[in-house]
Amino acid sequence: MRALTWHGTRDVRVESVSDPEIINPRDAIIKVTSTAICGSDLHLYDGVIPGMQSGDVLGHEFMGEVVETGASSTLKKGQRVVVPFTIACGGCFHCAVQQYSACENSNPVEKQDMSATLYGHPMAGLFGYSHLTGGYSGGQAEYVRVPFSDVGPIIIPDHLEDDNVLFLSDILPTGWMAAENADIGPDDTVAVWGCGPVGLFAIQSALVMGAAQVIAIDHYPHRLELARKLGAKIINFRETNVREALMEMSGGIGVDAVIDAVGMEAHGFAIDNMLDVVKQKVGVGADRASALKQALLAVRFGGRVSIPGVYGGMTDKFPLGALMEKGVQLRTGQTHVQKYLGDLLAKIEDGTLDTTFLISHHLPLEDAATGYRNFKEKQDSWTKVVLRPGMEAGAAGASTTRTMEQV
Ligand SMILES: [Zn+2]
Ligand SMILES: [Zn+2]
């Protein structure tokens, strides 16, 4: 089959690899119909995630058709499913309390050492996201093996298009959980740093949850415009003093809840063993979690801090004093995707949520390397790239690619 493979920093290629096979009775094989490039895939692209091996198949946001099932899979051939990026067994302590992204059985024992050292406990398995998280082949491919297929995938009714539901795989539940972690009430003012896909979905979710006002902070004009269309007020941090603006917009008290949807992308890299390299590059003492620090200073006393943005290691000069003295609550974590799928699918079906506005480009899988490059370098206009294994190479420009004006 054809698949997008990793070969080093900024070197991804579509090439022929072996077809996946059923290994465990609970497996299913999915023929991928749509798969997206995620902001967190750019960390792999930039070579800053440890545990990658040449030839690894990337992709953790995908959906498709069931074409083969193991003896214990509950799926049936021909069903359309969206697959959560978090691999979860359904039976361990954490799965039993719906903390699926902490599953104890999805990351094979021989892969657990690095994350156990970094975090005190091993991470769960994720699709297409390094040998740190199990080394599973991802879904930016024609076919993918889905372990624990009786737990994760959600069956999609035929009347919903791929574009309507694809983001259930990661960024929609991630944005939703980010808003849920901010514990939003009807009188709340909520500030969201970062108008990437997760930030935009967190904004949308916060508004659905009834926030009185949501304030979006970024510097990309088009992304801010998308936030404004969703109903947010916007702050361009290149033009406006964020803290002063937030104080004014919250009646001088500070915002009730803050969401950091930027993560370590703010200044690149945060795995601890690279700390010195980073310091050399950006100057000793430079912020690598500037959005989070700004958020902690902006939140009111007794407010809530939610961090969906991805961090990998340690950070310098964290304003721990602000956290304690202001008595804020902090919630974060990888998304428990399986917990949210049913509810969010229902909200898509009844029109409460529509995520299609985010998609700026559809490309054939064969053009995936172009997709990565532009998603990285043209962040303002390439807001989300959907790859279609079935789409003919070279068809992208003429077919369903939407321009900024059409979004
Ligand atoms: Zn993702
Ligand atoms: Zn589990």
Side-chain angles (χ1 to χ4, degrees):
M1 68 165 180
R2 304 289 285 169
L4 190 276
T5 56
W6 184 93
H7 291 275
T9 303
R10 313 244 169 124
D11 183 2
V12 291
R13 307 170 200 164
V14 177
E15 52 190 14
S16 295
V17 302
S18 307
D19 287 347
E21 292 174 358
I22 300 280
I23 295 174
N24 183 292
R26 295 170 72 183
D27 289 350
I29 305 292
I30 307 297
K31 181 182 182 186
V32 178
T33 51
S34 295
T35 173
I37 303 174
C38 180
S40 66
D41 286 330
L42 296 181
H43 298 319
L44 305 173
Y45 188 63
D46 287 338
V48 299
I49 300 292
M52 289 299 292
Q53 294 173 10
S54 188
D56 282 349
V57 177
L58 305 189
H60 61 268
E61 300 181 357
F62 59 92
M63 64 178 295
E65 182 192 332
V66 179
V67 290
E68 209 181 328
T69 54
S72 304
S73 174
T74 50
L75 296 175
K76 294 184 173 52
K77 283 183 197 175
Q79 286 176 326
R80 287 170 72 222
V81 292
V82 173
V83 179
F85 79 97
T86 44
I87 303 173
C89 77
C92 70
F93 169 84
H94 287 101
C95 284
V97 294
Q98 294 195 303
Q99 293 176 346
Y100 295 100
S101 71
C103 176
E104 298 143 53
N105 291 323
S106 59
N107 193 351
V109 171
E110 67 273 16
K111 310 271 187 187
Q112 293 184 354
D113 282 359
M114 192 185 293
S115 58
T117 304
L118 271 172
Y119 308 133
H121 297 85
M123 287 184 77
L126 306 176
F127 286 101
Y129 215 79
S130 91
H131 294 262
L132 191 70
T133 62
Y136 291 95
S137 286
Q140 288 165 3
E142 288 183 288
Y143 298 91
V144 60
R145 178 177 78 93
V146 175
F148 303 125
S149 65
D150 52 323
V151 176
I154 186 165
I155 297 158
I156 302 302
D158 284 342
H159 66 272
L160 292 172
E161 303 283 337
D162 280 18
D163 284 356
N164 295 119
V165 293
L166 173 62
F167 302 143
L168 286 168
S169 56
D170 175 0
I171 54 175
L172 179 58
T174 297
W176 184 268
M177 188 171 107
E180 191 177 85
N181 279 345
D183 197 15
I184 291 161
D187 297 325
D188 281 344
T189 293
V190 182
V192 180
W193 275 257
C195 294
V198 169
L200 289 166
F201 288 171
I203 289 164
Q204 191 178 30
S205 301
L207 289 163
V208 168
M209 290 176 190
Q213 66 174 344
V214 178
I215 303 160
I217 302 157
D218 206 312
H219 68 282
Y220 289 114
H222 174 59
R223 291 187 174 209
L224 282 168
E225 181 59 18
L226 292 178
R228 198 188 57 74
K229 282 185 182 164
L230 289 173
K233 294 176 180 168
I234 59 173
I235 295 175
N236 184 328
F237 66 75
R238 292 254 166 91
E239 297 167 355
T240 305
N241 181 309
V242 174
R243 188 162 177 281
E244 283 175 13
L246 289 177
M247 284 299 277
E248 199 171 305
M249 294 162 97
S250 60
I253 191 173
V255 293
D256 300 292
V258 293
I259 297 174
D260 168 14
V262 176
M264 66 178 170
E265 290 162 88
H267 287 279
F269 186 60
I271 298 287
D272 189 46
N273 62 6
M274 290 293 286
L275 184 61
D276 291 338
V277 178
V278 173
K279 279 185 169 176
Q280 278 172 357
K281 276 186 187 166
V282 301
V284 172
D287 279 343
R288 287 178 297 121
S290 58
L292 179 57
K293 290 168 187 176
Q294 212 172 56
L296 278 166
L297 298 183
V299 71
R300 70 165 168 82
F301 272 70
R304 286 93 57 194
V305 178
S306 164
I307 312 174
V310 173
Y311 291 95
M314 317 283 176
T315 187
D316 273 359
K317 296 183 202 59
F318 187 76
L320 187 58
L323 188 74
M324 187 274 160
E325 298 292 352
K326 293 167 81 171
V328 302
Q329 298 171 44
L330 190 150
R331 293 173 73 190
T332 181
Q334 292 282 1
T335 312
H336 307 304
V337 177
Q338 288 84 341
K339 176 181 172 184
Y340 298 100
L341 285 179
D343 187 37
L344 291 178
L345 178 61
K347 284 186 167 56
I348 290 169
E349 281 204 271
D350 71 15
T352 306
L353 291 170
D354 175 19
T355 61
T356 55
F357 74 91
L358 185 68
I359 302 169
S360 57
H361 296 80
H362 294 93
L363 297 180
L365 176 66
E366 293 293 325
D367 293 348
T370 305
Y372 269 78
R373 190 172 61 247
N374 287 323
F375 188 49
K376 164 89 188 165
E377 293 173 1
K378 300 176 182 173
Q379 289 195 26
D380 191 34
S381 52
W382 285 62
T383 50
K384 192 71 179 177
V385 181
V386 174
L387 304 169
R388 295 221 166 120
M391 190 171 162
E392 264 181 51
S399 63
T400 50
T401 302
R402 291 197 290 183
T403 65
M404 281 172 59
E405 289 71 34
Q406 289 172 297
V407 170

